[in-house]
Amino acid sequence: MSIGKALKLTIPAAFFGYAAFANYSLLTSDVEGPKWAGLWSGEVTQEIDTIYRANLPHRDPAVGIIGAVRYIALGEGRDGVVVGRDGWLFSDEEYRPLATAPHGLDKTVGYIASVRETLRAAGAELVVVPLPAKLDMERAQAGEDAPSKRIEQDYAAFLRALDGAGVETVDTRPVLSQRPDPFFRTDTHWTPAAARDVAEAVANSGRVAIGDASFDVVPGPAVSFTGDLVSFVTSDSLAPFVGLRPEHVTPYVAEAVAETDADGGMDIFGGGASGAYALVGTSYSANPNWSFAEALKLSLAQDVLNYAEEGQGPVAPMAAFLSRLASGTEEVPPVVIWEFPVRYLTDPALMDRAEERQDA
Protein backbone atom coordinates (compact mmCIF):
# COMPACT_ATOMS: atom_id res chain seq x y z
CA MET A 1 0.00 0.00 0.00
CA SER A 2 1.36 3.43 -0.92
CA ILE A 3 1.99 6.07 1.70
CA GLY A 4 -0.56 8.41 0.10
CA LYS A 5 -3.29 5.77 0.19
CA ALA A 6 -2.45 4.90 3.78
CA LEU A 7 -2.76 8.55 4.79
CA LYS A 8 -6.10 8.84 3.03
CA LEU A 9 -7.39 5.83 4.97
CA THR A 10 -6.06 7.22 8.24
CA ILE A 11 -8.39 10.22 8.18
CA PRO A 12 -11.71 8.33 8.12
CA ALA A 13 -10.36 5.75 10.59
CA ALA A 14 -9.38 8.50 13.02
CA PHE A 15 -12.70 10.24 12.48
CA PHE A 16 -14.84 7.16 13.22
CA GLY A 17 -12.66 6.21 16.17
CA TYR A 18 -13.07 9.63 17.68
CA ALA A 19 -16.80 9.61 16.90
CA ALA A 20 -17.23 6.42 18.93
CA PHE A 21 -15.29 7.89 21.85
CA ALA A 22 -17.18 11.21 21.69
CA ASN A 23 -20.59 9.57 21.64
CA TYR A 24 -19.69 7.36 24.60
CA SER A 25 -18.50 10.43 26.54
CA LEU A 26 -21.66 12.33 25.70
CA LEU A 27 -24.01 9.48 26.64
CA THR A 28 -22.32 8.93 30.01
CA SER A 29 -22.29 12.63 30.92
CA ASP A 30 -24.89 14.67 32.81
CA VAL A 31 -26.07 16.50 29.68
CA GLU A 32 -29.87 16.67 29.42
CA GLY A 33 -31.08 14.69 26.43
CA PRO A 34 -33.59 15.78 23.76
CA LYS A 35 -37.30 16.05 24.48
CA TRP A 36 -38.67 13.15 22.45
CA ALA A 37 -42.13 14.71 22.43
CA GLY A 38 -40.98 16.70 19.44
CA LEU A 39 -40.05 13.60 17.44
CA TRP A 40 -42.92 13.84 14.97
CA SER A 41 -42.66 17.61 14.50
CA GLY A 42 -38.96 17.49 13.67
CA GLU A 43 -37.95 19.59 16.68
CA VAL A 44 -35.94 16.74 18.19
CA THR A 45 -33.48 16.83 15.29
CA GLN A 46 -32.61 20.46 16.04
CA GLU A 47 -32.28 19.65 19.77
CA ILE A 48 -29.84 16.80 19.08
CA ASP A 49 -27.78 19.05 16.81
CA THR A 50 -27.63 21.73 19.52
CA ILE A 51 -26.61 19.19 22.17
CA TYR A 52 -23.75 17.88 20.03
CA ARG A 53 -22.53 21.33 19.09
CA ALA A 54 -22.51 22.56 22.69
CA ASN A 55 -21.22 19.47 24.50
CA LEU A 56 -19.06 17.39 22.16
CA PRO A 57 -15.82 16.74 24.07
CA HIS A 58 -12.64 18.19 22.61
CA ARG A 59 -14.69 19.67 19.77
CA ASP A 60 -12.42 22.58 18.88
CA PRO A 61 -9.11 20.68 19.22
CA ALA A 62 -10.57 17.76 17.27
CA VAL A 63 -11.71 19.98 14.42
CA GLY A 64 -8.28 21.59 14.30
CA ILE A 65 -6.42 18.29 14.34
CA ILE A 66 -8.60 16.63 11.71
CA GLY A 67 -8.29 19.73 9.53
CA ALA A 68 -4.50 19.74 9.91
CA VAL A 69 -4.25 16.05 8.99
CA ARG A 70 -6.51 16.54 5.97
CA TYR A 71 -4.44 19.52 4.81
CA ILE A 72 -1.15 17.60 5.13
CA ALA A 73 -2.45 14.38 3.57
CA LEU A 74 -4.77 15.67 0.88
CA GLY A 75 -3.91 19.34 0.46
CA GLU A 76 -7.52 20.29 1.15
CA GLY A 77 -9.51 22.48 3.51
CA ARG A 78 -13.17 22.67 4.48
CA ASP A 79 -15.91 24.31 2.43
CA GLY A 80 -15.03 27.99 2.10
CA VAL A 81 -11.42 27.66 1.02
CA VAL A 82 -9.51 26.38 -2.00
CA VAL A 83 -5.89 25.37 -1.43
CA GLY A 84 -3.46 26.52 -4.10
CA ARG A 85 0.26 25.97 -4.53
CA ASP A 86 2.84 26.35 -1.76
CA GLY A 87 0.28 26.95 0.97
CA TRP A 88 -1.59 29.76 -0.78
CA LEU A 89 -5.27 29.87 0.21
CA PHE A 90 -8.17 31.28 -1.81
CA SER A 91 -11.78 31.99 -0.88
CA ASP A 92 -14.21 29.71 -2.70
CA GLU A 93 -16.34 32.82 -3.31
CA GLU A 94 -13.94 33.67 -6.13
CA TYR A 95 -14.70 30.38 -7.87
CA ARG A 96 -18.43 31.12 -8.29
CA PRO A 97 -19.23 32.03 -11.92
CA LEU A 98 -20.78 35.46 -12.38
CA ALA A 99 -23.28 33.91 -14.79
CA THR A 100 -24.84 32.01 -11.89
CA ALA A 101 -25.24 35.04 -9.60
CA PRO A 102 -28.90 35.09 -8.48
CA HIS A 103 -29.23 38.87 -8.69
CA GLY A 104 -27.25 39.32 -11.91
CA LEU A 105 -24.73 41.95 -12.96
CA ASP A 106 -27.41 44.23 -14.40
CA LYS A 107 -29.19 44.57 -11.06
CA THR A 108 -25.97 45.38 -9.23
CA VAL A 109 -24.89 47.97 -11.78
CA GLY A 110 -28.41 49.41 -11.80
CA TYR A 111 -28.21 49.88 -8.06
CA ILE A 112 -24.80 51.53 -8.35
CA ALA A 113 -26.17 53.91 -10.99
CA SER A 114 -29.07 54.79 -8.69
CA VAL A 115 -26.59 55.54 -5.91
CA ARG A 116 -24.70 57.81 -8.30
CA GLU A 117 -27.92 59.74 -9.02
CA THR A 118 -28.81 59.99 -5.33
CA LEU A 119 -25.40 61.35 -4.45
CA ARG A 120 -25.36 63.73 -7.40
CA ALA A 121 -28.72 65.14 -6.36
CA ALA A 122 -27.25 65.79 -2.91
CA GLY A 123 -24.18 67.50 -4.39
CA ALA A 124 -21.64 64.65 -4.26
CA GLU A 125 -19.85 62.80 -7.06
CA LEU A 126 -19.39 59.02 -6.98
CA VAL A 127 -16.22 57.22 -8.06
CA VAL A 128 -16.29 53.42 -7.98
CA VAL A 129 -13.00 51.61 -7.38
CA PRO A 130 -13.45 47.94 -8.38
CA LEU A 131 -10.87 45.56 -6.93
CA PRO A 132 -9.77 42.47 -8.88
CA ALA A 133 -9.82 39.08 -7.18
CA LYS A 134 -6.92 37.45 -5.41
CA LEU A 135 -7.55 34.45 -7.66
CA ASP A 136 -6.83 36.71 -10.64
CA MET A 137 -3.82 38.56 -9.24
CA GLU A 138 -2.17 35.48 -7.71
CA ARG A 139 -3.01 33.02 -10.50
CA ALA A 140 0.49 31.49 -10.48
CA GLN A 141 -0.29 30.26 -6.97
CA ALA A 142 -3.84 29.15 -7.71
CA GLY A 143 -3.05 25.98 -9.62
CA GLU A 144 -5.94 26.11 -12.09
CA ASP A 145 -5.84 28.81 -14.74
CA ALA A 146 -9.46 28.63 -15.94
CA PRO A 147 -11.07 30.09 -12.77
CA SER A 148 -8.50 32.90 -12.76
CA LYS A 149 -9.27 33.81 -16.36
CA ARG A 150 -13.00 33.69 -15.68
CA ILE A 151 -12.89 36.11 -12.77
CA GLU A 152 -10.58 38.38 -14.77
CA GLN A 153 -13.31 38.46 -17.42
CA ASP A 154 -15.89 39.19 -14.70
CA TYR A 155 -13.83 42.19 -13.62
CA ALA A 156 -13.68 43.46 -17.21
CA ALA A 157 -17.42 42.93 -17.63
CA PHE A 158 -18.06 44.88 -14.42
CA LEU A 159 -15.98 47.82 -15.67
CA ARG A 160 -17.75 47.81 -19.06
CA ALA A 161 -21.17 47.71 -17.43
CA LEU A 162 -20.34 50.59 -15.10
CA ASP A 163 -18.97 52.62 -18.00
CA GLY A 164 -22.11 51.89 -20.01
CA ALA A 165 -24.20 53.16 -17.09
CA GLY A 166 -22.19 56.39 -16.94
CA VAL A 167 -20.57 55.59 -13.60
CA GLU A 168 -17.07 56.98 -13.04
CA THR A 169 -14.55 54.22 -12.25
CA VAL A 170 -10.86 53.69 -11.62
CA ASP A 171 -9.35 50.59 -13.21
CA THR A 172 -7.10 49.18 -10.49
CA ARG A 173 -6.08 45.93 -12.16
CA PRO A 174 -3.10 47.35 -14.13
CA VAL A 175 -1.30 48.68 -11.03
CA LEU A 176 -2.02 45.59 -8.94
CA SER A 177 -0.86 43.23 -11.69
CA GLN A 178 2.53 44.98 -11.67
CA ARG A 179 3.09 44.33 -7.96
CA PRO A 180 4.46 40.96 -6.85
CA ASP A 181 1.97 39.32 -4.48
CA PRO A 182 -0.48 42.16 -3.82
CA PHE A 183 -2.47 39.82 -1.59
CA PHE A 184 -1.54 37.94 1.57
CA ARG A 185 -0.78 34.22 1.28
CA THR A 186 -3.40 33.01 3.78
CA ASP A 187 -5.78 35.96 3.88
CA THR A 188 -8.40 37.31 1.48
CA HIS A 189 -7.11 40.88 1.71
CA TRP A 190 -4.52 43.03 0.00
CA THR A 191 -1.23 44.22 1.48
CA PRO A 192 -0.70 47.85 2.54
CA ALA A 193 1.65 48.26 -0.43
CA ALA A 194 -1.12 47.16 -2.81
CA ALA A 195 -3.58 49.48 -1.09
CA ARG A 196 -1.11 52.34 -1.60
CA ASP A 197 -0.81 51.46 -5.29
CA VAL A 198 -4.57 51.66 -5.69
CA ALA A 199 -4.70 54.97 -3.83
CA GLU A 200 -2.13 56.38 -6.24
CA ALA A 201 -4.15 55.01 -9.18
CA VAL A 202 -7.18 56.91 -7.85
CA ALA A 203 -5.11 60.08 -7.62
CA ASN A 204 -3.69 59.62 -11.14
CA SER A 205 -7.03 58.76 -12.73
CA GLY A 206 -8.24 62.33 -13.12
CA ARG A 207 -11.57 61.26 -11.59
CA VAL A 208 -10.88 62.86 -8.22
CA ALA A 209 -9.57 66.38 -7.59
CA ILE A 210 -6.29 66.60 -5.69
CA GLY A 211 -6.31 68.72 -2.55
CA ASP A 212 -3.58 70.73 -0.88
CA ALA A 213 -3.48 69.21 2.61
CA SER A 214 -0.24 67.91 4.05
CA PHE A 215 0.11 64.73 6.08
CA ASP A 216 2.85 63.02 8.04
CA VAL A 217 3.14 59.24 7.90
CA VAL A 218 3.16 57.77 11.40
CA PRO A 219 3.93 54.03 11.45
CA GLY A 220 2.01 51.97 13.96
CA PRO A 221 3.27 48.92 15.82
CA ALA A 222 3.99 45.80 13.78
CA VAL A 223 1.07 43.37 13.70
CA SER A 224 1.16 39.59 13.30
CA PHE A 225 -2.12 37.87 12.50
CA THR A 226 -3.50 34.57 11.31
CA GLY A 227 -5.00 34.85 7.83
CA ASP A 228 -8.78 34.74 7.75
CA LEU A 229 -8.73 31.70 5.42
CA VAL A 230 -6.78 29.56 7.88
CA SER A 231 -9.92 28.93 9.94
CA PHE A 232 -11.25 26.89 6.99
CA VAL A 233 -8.23 24.59 7.30
CA THR A 234 -7.28 24.21 10.95
CA SER A 235 -7.01 26.11 14.24
CA ASP A 236 -4.79 29.14 14.74
CA SER A 237 -2.58 27.24 17.19
CA LEU A 238 -1.95 24.34 14.79
CA ALA A 239 -1.60 26.42 11.61
CA PRO A 240 2.17 27.09 11.95
CA PHE A 241 2.85 23.35 12.29
CA VAL A 242 1.35 22.67 8.86
CA GLY A 243 3.15 25.57 7.18
CA LEU A 244 0.39 28.21 7.49
CA ARG A 245 2.44 30.78 9.32
CA PRO A 246 1.20 34.17 10.59
CA GLU A 247 1.11 37.15 8.28
CA HIS A 248 2.97 40.33 9.21
CA VAL A 249 2.08 43.94 8.54
CA THR A 250 3.03 47.40 9.79
CA PRO A 251 0.00 49.69 9.47
CA TYR A 252 0.34 53.45 9.48
CA VAL A 253 -1.77 56.56 9.86
CA ALA A 254 -1.61 59.86 7.98
CA GLU A 255 -1.68 62.71 10.46
CA ALA A 256 -2.60 66.15 9.17
CA VAL A 257 0.18 68.70 9.41
CA ALA A 258 -0.81 71.81 11.34
CA GLU A 259 -0.91 74.89 9.11
CA THR A 260 -0.72 78.57 9.86
CA ASP A 261 -3.98 80.39 9.16
CA ALA A 262 -4.38 83.92 7.76
CA ASP A 263 -4.21 85.44 11.27
CA GLY A 264 -0.97 83.73 12.10
CA GLY A 265 -2.60 81.05 14.26
CA MET A 266 -2.16 77.32 13.94
CA ASP A 267 -4.89 75.24 12.32
CA ILE A 268 -4.36 71.98 14.21
CA PHE A 269 -6.87 70.14 12.02
CA GLY A 270 -5.05 70.85 8.74
CA GLY A 271 -8.30 71.61 6.96
CA GLY A 272 -10.52 69.51 9.21
CA ALA A 273 -13.41 67.30 8.20
CA SER A 274 -15.22 70.03 6.27
CA GLY A 275 -14.89 69.21 2.58
CA ALA A 276 -13.37 65.81 3.32
CA TYR A 277 -13.94 63.01 0.84
CA ALA A 278 -15.84 59.92 1.93
CA LEU A 279 -14.64 56.33 1.58
CA VAL A 280 -17.25 53.56 1.56
CA GLY A 281 -16.54 49.88 1.14
CA THR A 282 -15.59 46.59 2.73
CA SER A 283 -12.93 45.33 5.12
CA TYR A 284 -10.35 46.22 2.43
CA SER A 285 -11.02 49.80 3.51
CA ALA A 286 -12.36 49.35 7.05
CA ASN A 287 -9.53 47.29 8.52
CA PRO A 288 -6.77 49.66 9.69
CA ASN A 289 -4.14 46.97 9.07
CA TRP A 290 -4.25 47.71 5.32
CA SER A 291 -4.12 51.53 5.75
CA PHE A 292 -6.17 52.23 2.60
CA ALA A 293 -7.92 55.34 3.93
CA GLU A 294 -4.53 56.66 5.05
CA ALA A 295 -3.03 55.96 1.64
CA LEU A 296 -5.86 57.90 -0.01
CA LYS A 297 -5.16 60.89 2.24
CA LEU A 298 -1.52 60.88 1.19
CA SER A 299 -2.16 60.36 -2.52
CA LEU A 300 -5.06 62.82 -2.79
CA ALA A 301 -3.63 65.40 -0.35
CA GLN A 302 -7.12 65.50 1.07
CA ASP A 303 -8.79 64.38 4.28
CA VAL A 304 -10.82 61.19 3.89
CA LEU A 305 -13.57 60.04 6.25
CA ASN A 306 -13.91 56.27 6.38
CA TYR A 307 -17.45 54.80 6.34
CA ALA A 308 -16.41 51.29 5.28
CA GLU A 309 -17.54 48.30 7.33
CA GLU A 310 -16.16 44.82 7.91
CA GLY A 311 -18.19 41.72 7.17
CA GLN A 312 -21.00 43.49 5.30
CA GLY A 313 -19.90 43.40 1.68
CA PRO A 314 -19.73 46.60 -0.41
CA VAL A 315 -23.44 47.37 -0.84
CA ALA A 316 -24.77 47.39 2.74
CA PRO A 317 -22.26 50.05 3.95
CA MET A 318 -23.29 52.28 1.05
CA ALA A 319 -26.98 51.85 1.93
CA ALA A 320 -26.16 52.81 5.52
CA PHE A 321 -24.14 55.82 4.36
CA LEU A 322 -27.00 57.06 2.18
CA SER A 323 -29.38 56.71 5.12
CA ARG A 324 -27.08 58.86 7.23
CA LEU A 325 -26.94 61.51 4.52
CA ALA A 326 -30.73 61.45 4.16
CA SER A 327 -31.18 61.89 7.92
CA GLY A 328 -28.87 64.90 7.94
CA THR A 329 -26.49 63.37 10.47
CA GLU A 330 -23.59 63.56 8.01
CA GLU A 331 -22.29 66.43 5.91
CA VAL A 332 -22.49 65.74 2.19
CA PRO A 333 -18.93 65.19 0.90
CA PRO A 334 -17.85 66.50 -2.50
CA VAL A 335 -16.62 63.03 -3.52
CA VAL A 336 -17.58 59.51 -2.44
CA ILE A 337 -15.05 56.78 -3.23
CA TRP A 338 -16.68 53.35 -3.30
CA GLU A 339 -14.28 50.42 -3.00
CA PHE A 340 -15.97 47.35 -4.52
CA PRO A 341 -14.21 43.92 -4.70
CA VAL A 342 -15.32 42.00 -7.77
CA ARG A 343 -15.64 38.76 -5.79
CA TYR A 344 -18.80 40.12 -4.14
CA LEU A 345 -20.65 40.23 -7.45
CA THR A 346 -21.66 36.59 -6.95
CA ASP A 347 -22.69 36.98 -3.29
CA PRO A 348 -26.32 35.80 -3.12
CA ALA A 349 -26.99 38.18 -0.20
CA LEU A 350 -25.38 41.22 -1.83
CA MET A 351 -28.55 43.15 -2.61
CA ASP A 352 -30.50 41.71 0.34
CA ARG A 353 -28.03 43.37 2.70
CA ALA A 354 -28.65 46.72 1.05
CA GLU A 355 -32.40 46.38 1.50
CA GLU A 356 -31.96 45.37 5.15
CA ARG A 357 -29.80 48.43 5.90
CA GLN A 358 -32.22 50.75 4.09
CA ASP A 359 -35.10 49.41 6.16
CA ALA A 360 -33.22 49.68 9.46
Side-chain angles (χ1 to χ4, degrees):
M1 181 184 295
S2 67
I3 295 177
K5 187 173 183 180
L7 287 172
K8 290 183 179 180
L9 292 175
T10 299
I11 295 175
F15 175 80
F16 285 113
Y18 178 76
F21 163 74
N23 278 281
Y24 174 79
S25 299
L26 193 59
L27 291 172
T28 56
S29 68
D30 295 330
V31 176
E32 183 180 355
K35 299 178 178 62
W36 297 104
L39 180 62
W40 304 112
S41 65
E43 294 176 7
V44 70
T45 303
Q46 184 175 355
E47 289 185 34
I48 292 174
D49 179 70
T50 301
I51 290 170
Y52 269 88
R53 287 179 180 273
N55 299 285
L56 191 65
H58 315 106
R59 178 183 181 277
D60 292 340
V63 170
I65 291 171
I66 291 173
V69 173
R70 176 175 51 206
Y71 177 75
I72 294 172
L74 306 178
E76 297 176 353
R78 298 194 301 275
D79 289 345
V81 71
V82 176
V83 178
R85 296 191 176 103
D86 301 324
W88 279 76
L89 303 180
F90 298 85
S91 170
D92 67 358
E93 295 173 330
E94 299 188 343
Y95 288 78
R96 297 183 302 213
L98 180 58
T100 64
H103 45 74
L105 181 60
D106 290 345
K107 182 176 181 180
T108 301
V109 172
Y111 176 76
I112 294 173
S114 71
V115 169
R116 186 266 323 271
E117 293 306 313
T118 299
L119 289 172
R120 184 169 290 175
E125 290 299 321
L126 175 68
V127 177
V128 177
V129 181
L131 300 184
K134 177 180 178 180
L135 181 61
D136 176 13
M137 296 291 94
E138 304 288 357
R139 63 179 59 194
Q141 312 296 345
E144 298 181 71
D145 198 41
S148 298
K149 289 181 177 178
R150 183 178 63 238
I151 202 163
E152 176 189 353
Q153 293 168 356
D154 292 346
Y155 176 88
F158 189 36
L159 276 181
R160 287 195 302 270
L162 290 171
D163 182 65
V167 177
E168 299 282 5
T169 62
V170 177
D171 184 1
T172 63
R173 193 176 180 281
V175 294
L176 289 180
S177 63
Q178 294 174 13
R179 172 165 293 280
D181 297 335
F183 288 82
F184 287 103
R185 184 166 168 257
T186 63
D187 198 273
T188 55
H189 297 96
W190 54 7
T191 65
R196 183 67 183 266
D197 288 344
V198 169
E200 291 178 356
V202 173
N204 295 330
S205 68
R207 307 292 195 191
V208 182
I210 307 300
D212 57 5
S214 298
F215 297 89
D216 284 332
V217 177
V218 181
V223 175
S224 296
F225 65 95
T226 301
D228 59 5
L229 293 171
V230 171
S231 62
F232 296 98
V233 175
T234 186
S235 62
D236 291 4
S237 59
L238 291 176
F241 296 99
V242 297
L244 301 177
R245 296 178 178 81
E247 306 285 1
H248 304 282
V249 66
T250 302
Y252 61 89
V253 296
E255 289 189 352
V257 176
E259 298 178 357
T260 304
D261 60 27
D263 298 324
M266 297 297 291
D267 178 8
I268 62 174
F269 297 104
S274 180
Y277 295 162
L279 171 63
V280 182
T282 68
S283 52
Y284 286 79
S285 298
N287 193 320
N289 281 347
W290 327 137
S291 305
F292 183 48
E294 310 308 308
L296 284 172
K297 293 177 186 179
L298 296 171
S299 296
L300 296 173
Q302 174 68 49
D303 194 15
V304 176
L305 300 181
N306 195 348
Y307 297 93
E309 301 178 23
E310 296 193 63
Q312 298 296 317
V315 173
M318 177 57 77
F321 177 67
L322 293 178
S323 295
R324 296 171 74 168
L325 290 184
S327 67
T329 58
E330 297 290 339
E331 181 179 336
V332 178
V335 175
V336 177
I337 298 168
W338 192 359
E339 164 259 308
F340 202 118
V342 70
R343 70 184 177 94
Y344 281 102
L345 292 175
T346 58
D347 181 1
L350 181 67
M351 304 310 298
D352 295 339
R353 290 174 179 169
E355 294 167 1
E356 290 171 2
R357 296 300 289 273
Q358 287 172 330
D359 295 338

